[in-house]
Amino acid sequence: MEIRLFDKCCIIAPLTPKLDAIECRRLYNEIKNYKGFSIGIDLTFVQDCTIEFIEELYKIEPLSIFNIPSDIFTLFNIMRVDKHANLFVSEEDFQANKHRLINRQFNIV
């Protein structure tokens, strides 16, 4: 797990290709150590995640996620993770807090 600290930002990058229950506990314990920081999770190296990872996302407030692979992004949209966490395309967007990804789910009436 790689941890980078900036002004008031803490970026945590899991270095495993799959986020399972064990990695989620490690990630959650690391996030607890950085209270007061804006937490960002970099999913560059992640290829797959389990339901435990998504359940942990609901416990952590506020949280931002960026560099999301397309498979995981589709899963996030279906499970409406964007309502609980800020989703960004890149690290620069996270640091600037701009260009947030939002799934609006419009309906035709």
Side-chain angles (χ1 to χ4, degrees), residues 53 57 65 72-81 87:
F53 174 68
L57 293 178
I65 305 170
I72 297 174
F73 182 67
T74 304
L75 185 64
F76 283 178
N77 281 334
I78 291 171
M79 298 189 75
R80 298 183 182 189
V81 172
L87 305 179

Side-chain angles (χ1 to χ4, degrees), residues 9-47:
C9 297
C10 174
I11 297 174
I12 300 174
L15 300 176
T16 59
K18 184 174 182 178
L19 289 175
D20 55 2
I22 296 168
E23 289 297 321
C24 290
R25 274 186 253 127
R26 286 183 60 213
L27 183 65
Y28 185 70
N29 289 334
E30 284 296 327
I31 290 172
K32 288 191 308 187
N33 294 332
Y34 296 100
K35 295 280 185 185
F37 285 91
S38 178
I39 304 293
I41 299 178
D42 183 1
L43 296 183
T44 301
F45 301 108
V46 178
Q47 299 170 357

Side-chain angles (χ1 to χ4, degrees), residues 10 17-18 24 32 48 50 54 57 60 67-68 72 75-76 79 85 89 94 98 101:
C10 174
K18 184 174 182 178
C24 290
K32 288 191 308 187
D48 190 20
T50 60
I54 296 173
L57 293 178
I60 305 166
N67 291 335
I68 308 166
I72 297 174
L75 185 64
F76 283 178
M79 298 189 75
V89 174
F94 162 67
K98 294 183 179 179
L101 298 172

Side-chain angles (χ1 to χ4, degrees), residues 48-59:
D48 190 20
C49 66
T50 60
I51 192 68
E52 288 88 5
F53 174 68
I54 296 173
E55 289 173 351
E56 289 293 325
L57 293 178
Y58 291 115
K59 296 178 185 177

Side-chain angles (χ1 to χ4, degrees), residues 80-96:
R80 298 183 182 189
V81 172
D82 64 324
K83 306 299 182 212
H84 302 280
N86 298 323
L87 305 179
F88 295 100
V89 174
S90 66
E91 182 177 334
E92 291 81 22
D93 292 342
F94 162 67
Q95 290 178 350

